[in-house]
Amino acid sequence: MTSYRQADSKREEFRKYLEKAGVLDALTKVLVSLYEEPEKPNNALDFLKQHILGGGPETADVETLRLEVSELRQKVEVLQDENADLKQRLAQYEPATEEPPQEN
């Protein structure tokens, strides 16, 4: 009888731990959202994993962002080259200015 009480006590302690950590609330919310889903997913476990982890970005979104980053890096490189060229051309037309030594 005492082993039954110990097991029950451990279960209750673990339940309190999960509740305090917010795990029970998170699981409840995810299960409720699955229940309320009008079209049930084929793989409920994948649905739970995706929603528990916060529903990270979709693969298509990530790929679109990677493409955009790549294009912007190329544009930056072109603009840096153009900037260097313009600075060089400007230096040709500006007279060399030497500052006279300052007298104290």
Side-chain angles (χ1 to χ4, degrees):
M1 187 91 168
T2 57
S3 66
Y4 176 74
R5 287 183 184 169
Q6 284 179 336
D8 197 33
S9 173
K10 284 185 177 184
R11 267 193 227 125
E12 184 62 25
E13 186 177 317
F14 186 67
R15 187 193 64 75
K16 286 180 182 179
Y17 162 75
L18 292 176
E19 188 173 354
K20 186 176 180 180
V23 174
L24 294 180
D25 286 338
L27 285 173
T28 301
K29 287 177 184 176
V30 172
L31 290 172
V32 167
S33 68
L34 177 60
Y35 175 78
E36 293 174 345
E37 189 72 26
E39 294 182 29
K40 304 295 183 229
N42 292 334
N43 190 335
L45 187 57
D46 283 345
F47 179 89
L48 294 175
K49 286 178 185 178
Q50 184 178 14
H51 285 78
I52 285 177
L53 297 176
E58 295 294 320
T59 330
D61 293 339
V62 172
E63 193 57 39
T64 302
L65 291 173
R66 283 188 181 143
L67 181 62
E68 184 178 352
V69 166
S70 176
E71 290 171 355
L72 290 173
R73 283 186 177 154
Q74 289 174 352
K75 188 174 183 178
V76 165
E77 190 176 325
V78 168
L79 290 173
Q80 286 175 336
D81 291 343
E82 182 182 346
N83 188 9
D85 181 50
L86 290 172
K87 283 182 180 180
Q88 185 180 18
R89 289 174 51 194
L90 182 61
Q92 291 175 354
Y93 295 108
E94 288 184 344
T97 57
E98 293 182 25
E99 293 183 26
Q102 293 180 350
E103 295 179 23
N104 290 343

